[in-house]
Amino acid sequence: MKTLRLAIVLLMGGFATSATSQEPGVVNVVVANRTIAGVLECRTLADNAYCGRDEFTITHHVDGTRALRALAVSDIRGLQIDIVLRVDRAFRPLEAFTQSYSDGKFLGVGFFAVSDDTLSALTKTPQRIVSETIPVPDRFSMLLHPVSADGWHFGHYDKAAGGRQSVPRCAVGGARESVRCALSESELAYVGPERLTVPAGTFETEHYRFGQNTEVWLAGPDYMMVQHEFKRFGTRYRLTAYTETRTPD
């Protein structure tokens, strides 16, 4: 438990957006030069009934890394998931933290850290604590399940090449345990540019397909999720609130 707590403290500390001081004459050090906050609301495709929400924040740091924090609640699946994910300039995962509940019951927490070609994972469920290492390729993404994080899979898509492209992903929950991670392949495809109007406004988006059941519309250099349709569960998430803050150079 000490190891898990230390890992979480280090992870959260590493995601601080800025270091500031109130003392006169001390220059503030800016770490995040762009911050996006948004809310994605879920509605069913069949009857437009409310089915959950996903609240997220993306910070782009001066070193090119990005961090995404999200709280997702699904009424259909009975899930509540909190995550933090940090990626490098090429959207390759660096660290992640996830905490999951199902129908009010604790499923588990997981901390993941990538070093070169290895992902180190420390996961805790009500039954046990597991520490393991997973070999990972140069290009891969993490599937943590809040839809706001699904846009970052497409940071690995080569639009110049086009067509269907396969990208390895580490899917949390894919090893038949709530917070363990299993490597599999995701099939991505680019549909084209599309101007899309949602409750939060009108956005110039890139329309992609994710596997056989998912359509996504993404905006900007941070691959922000504007709309997400998941045919398997009959749901559509749309951006209902959006703010962006930039730090002057």
Side-chain angles (χ1 to χ4, degrees):
M1 282 302 296
K2 290 182 179 179
T3 304
L4 179 62
R5 290 171 183 164
L6 177 60
I8 294 170
V9 169
L10 290 174
L11 175 64
M12 300 306 290
F15 287 151
T17 58
S18 64
T20 61
S21 173
Q22 301 301 317
E23 296 181 15
V26 176
V27 177
N28 293 334
V29 178
V30 176
V31 177
N33 54 12
R34 182 171 66 251
T35 301
I36 294 171
V39 177
L40 292 154
E41 185 177 282
C42 178
R43 295 279 175 174
T44 59
L45 292 172
D47 55 10
N48 200 40
Y50 176 82
C51 50
R53 60 194 280 116
D54 185 330
E55 302 177 15
F56 68 92
T57 302
I58 296 172
T59 52
H60 181 274
H61 304 133
V62 294
D63 62 359
T65 63
R66 291 173 171 85
L68 185 146
R69 307 158 183 81
L71 169 62
V73 178
S74 171
D75 288 5
I76 290 178
R77 301 172 67 187
L79 291 174
Q80 176 180 306
I81 303 173
D82 298 86
I83 72 156
V84 184
L85 171 63
R86 192 171 74 100
V87 297
D88 67 12
R89 291 176 181 270
F91 291 91
R92 189 175 194 257
L94 296 171
E95 302 94 17
F97 171 76
T98 181
Q99 174 179 260
S100 303
Y101 285 80
S102 177
D103 295 324
K105 296 180 180 180
F106 175 69
L107 290 180
V109 297
F111 171 72
F112 309 90
V114 177
S115 178
D116 297 326
D117 60 354
T118 300
L119 184 148
S120 299
L122 183 65
T123 57
K124 176 190 174 185
T125 70
Q127 291 76 35
R128 57 179 175 163
I129 296 176
V130 178
S131 178
E132 58 191 330
T133 58
I134 303 167
V136 289
D138 289 338
R139 189 172 62 111
F140 83 103
S141 64
M142 290 194 72
L143 180 64
L144 299 173
H145 301 297
V147 299
S148 57
D150 282 350
W152 285 4
H153 303 305
F154 298 90
H156 302 279
Y157 186 87
D158 183 355
K159 285 175 61 178
R164 296 179 181 273
Q165 298 177 23
S166 183
V167 174
R169 68 177 184 183
C170 202
V172 174
R176 296 186 179 180
E177 295 215 17
S178 59
V179 289
R180 295 181 68 187
C181 194
L183 206 61
S184 61
E185 295 287 324
S186 291
E187 188 177 80
L188 313 179
Y190 178 56
V191 179
E194 186 174 330
R195 174 173 285 187
L196 186 66
T197 298
V198 294
T202 299
F203 297 84
E204 299 296 334
T205 71
E206 300 286 349
H207 182 184
Y208 291 91
R209 289 197 176 97
F210 182 19
Q212 301 298 316
N213 296 297
T214 307
E215 307 268 336
V216 301
W217 289 259
L218 310 173
D222 300 308
Y223 291 83
M224 180 185 71
M225 186 68 66
V226 176
Q227 184 167 288
H228 178 289
E229 292 185 0
F230 192 14
K231 297 177 183 177
R232 179 181 174 187
F233 287 103
T235 59
R236 175 188 290 125
Y237 284 81
R238 303 175 79 198
L239 193 67
T240 59
Y242 163 78
T243 59
E244 180 174 346
T245 304
R246 292 177 179 266
T247 302
D249 295 334

